[in-house]
Amino acid sequence: MDKILIEVFVPVLGSPFDIFIPAQAYLFEVLELIKKAVTELSEGRFTADGTTALCFRENGAIININLSVAGLELHDGSRLMLI
């Protein structure tokens, strides 16, 4: 399975996290993986809920989770934000 390395910034923690995601997945799957990874990496300081969303860090636009990683043209080094 091909993976890409993205940076996910979490404003509530003030920290970025580097996370590998599957290149052929849809964002609704990726969001779940990212929420779990950030919860673990932050040692429980971050807890996701039903309103947790992913957005582009550059402009703050919320990402449509029904699109695929490839469809969004995410690549190694893409910068996202978990809010």
Side-chain angles (χ1 to χ4, degrees):
M1 175 186 295
D2 292 334
K3 295 187 179 196
I4 61 171
L5 181 64
I6 62 169
E7 178 185 284
V8 178
F9 180 72
V10 184
V12 72
L13 300 175
S15 301
F17 298 91
D18 291 330
I19 301 173
F20 282 101
I21 62 170
Q24 302 303 319
Y26 282 87
L27 263 292
F28 64 86
E29 299 166 314
V30 170
L31 177 57
E32 293 305 313
L33 295 172
I34 291 173
K35 290 190 299 189
K36 288 178 186 176
V38 170
T39 299
E40 287 181 25
L41 292 169
S42 70
E43 298 176 346
R45 292 182 294 143
F46 174 81
T47 304
D49 61 24
T51 64
T52 302
L54 270 177
C55 59
F56 293 105
R57 188 160 181 197
E58 292 79 26
N59 61 15
I62 295 178
I63 297 172
N64 180 346
I65 61 171
N66 294 314
L67 299 175
S68 67
V69 171
L72 287 167
E73 298 180 2
L74 296 179
H75 53 80
D76 283 331
S78 289
R79 298 174 68 203
L80 305 179
M81 191 164 40
L82 188 64
I83 56 171

